[in-house]
Amino acid sequence: MNKAQLVEAIALDTNISKIEARKAVDSLIRVMVQTLREGDRITLTGLGTFSVQQKSERTGRNPRTGALVKIPPRRVIKFRPTAEVE
């Protein structure tokens, strides 16, 4: 399901216009991105938990040349689903 399909499904499920549903989805995404940028976690009961994890610097290998490459440290989003999806 892509964003447009999600907006349409929400509009049908809640009996609101697609414009209002799109505003709600855009707002949800904006708030989630901001929260994760601040390093906080988001828990949605029945779905799972989104959190930010710090990956340390490591050494990788270029598959084409075989040369060693330093991979810089970075922050990644981690998703942990709930035990049961209803």
Side-chain angles (χ1 to χ4, degrees), residues 56-79:
S56 59
E57 182 178 291
R58 62 188 176 98
T59 303
R61 190 173 295 277
N62 182 330
R64 182 173 291 169
T65 65
L68 294 177
V69 179
K70 276 190 177 179
I71 300 172
R74 64 192 188 282
R75 293 172 19 141
V76 296
I77 296 174
K78 179 180 172 185
F79 176 71

Side-chain angles (χ1 to χ4, degrees), residues 7-60:
V7 167
E8 187 173 343
I10 290 172
L12 290 173
D13 187 54
T14 59
N15 200 24
I16 60 175
S17 70
K18 285 185 185 179
I19 293 170
E20 292 298 318
R22 186 181 50 207
K23 286 180 184 178
V25 170
D26 288 343
S27 177
L28 173 69
I29 292 169
R30 192 171 34 257
V31 169
M32 289 181 74
V33 167
Q34 183 61 38
T35 301
L36 291 170
R37 277 192 183 139
E38 293 170 359
D40 293 334
R41 108 182 3 199
I42 301 168
T43 301
L44 301 174
T45 305
L47 181 63
T49 301
F50 295 88
S51 61
V52 177
Q53 184 177 22
Q54 183 69 34
K55 296 279 188 170
S56 59
E57 182 178 291
R58 62 188 176 98
T59 303

